[in-house]
Amino acid sequence: MKKLLALILLAAALAGGWYFASPWWAMKSLADAAQAGDTAALEEKVDFPALRASASDQISEATRRRAGQGGLLDGIGGVVAERVGREVANRAITPENVGAMVAGGAFASGLLPERLRGQDIGWNIERESFDYFRAIGTFEDGTAGPTLIFRRDGLGWLLTGVELT
């Protein structure tokens, strides 16, 4: 009976440790791969089709919000901008650019305001559920950075989405 109780306690401790430590470990390993420029490791830790879809959806939504009040030219312009946004997301979401975003907070440092260039970015982990967590980026001066969305994949995690700021 004591062995069974010890086994149950050990299993509970391991499950609890995984629950609390695995998001931190996933984010650390992603950041390490990004800083090392290890594109093969980044490809293993990122679901690129899902990440591209996430970025494309955000670009499309931003385009729809900026569209005018529904004139014919606005509609045509919105469709063109949405397709261009989708193409930009498909081409911009690469292992190299994801590494740059994780290491520096932007897909390209030229997209960052001058005051943020060269600042380190820190990541705060927030659990969404058993299957999802978010890594919220914050620059040294407190400015909000991107938010990375991870989905559980077995006992590991994959980067599947981003909320661009």
Side-chain angles (χ1 to χ4, degrees):
M1 185 67 172
K2 288 182 181 182
K3 287 183 180 181
L4 179 61
L5 181 59
L7 191 59
I8 291 171
L9 288 174
L10 178 63
L14 288 173
W18 173 84
Y19 181 81
F20 290 107
S22 66
W24 174 83
W25 183 255
M27 191 59 211
K28 181 183 178 337
S29 64
L30 182 67
D32 289 348
Q35 289 174 346
D38 187 349
T39 57
L42 286 168
E43 288 174 350
E44 293 175 3
K45 298 170 186 337
V46 178
D47 180 348
F48 281 99
L51 187 59
R52 287 181 184 110
S54 172
S56 178
D57 289 348
Q58 288 180 64
I59 293 168
S60 297
E61 181 61 31
T63 301
R64 281 191 285 277
R65 282 193 309 260
R66 290 187 178 137
Q69 297 299 319
L72 177 61
L73 291 178
D74 283 341
I76 292 170
V79 169
V80 170
E82 188 171 329
R83 287 191 179 158
V84 168
R86 197 173 312 128
E87 187 64 27
V88 166
N90 288 339
R91 291 178 188 240
I93 308 281
T94 65
E96 295 83 7
N97 288 342
V98 169
M101 180 180 60
V102 171
F107 285 114
S109 63
L111 297 176
L112 285 174
E114 187 69 36
R115 66 183 173 78
L116 296 177
R117 293 180 192 167
Q119 286 191 35
D120 286 336
I121 188 166
W123 300 96
N124 185 30
I125 305 295
E126 285 185 1
R127 273 279 190 181
E128 295 260 315
S129 70
F130 183 74
D131 293 327
Y132 293 93
F133 79 88
R134 299 158 53 94
I136 301 168
T138 307
F139 289 96
E140 288 176 8
D141 69 356
T143 302
T147 297
L148 307 179
I149 302 167
F150 289 79
R151 172 183 49 83
R152 188 174 58 81
D153 181 42
L155 292 177
W157 298 93
L158 288 174
L159 173 60
T160 59
V162 63
E163 292 175 3
L164 303 171
T165 55

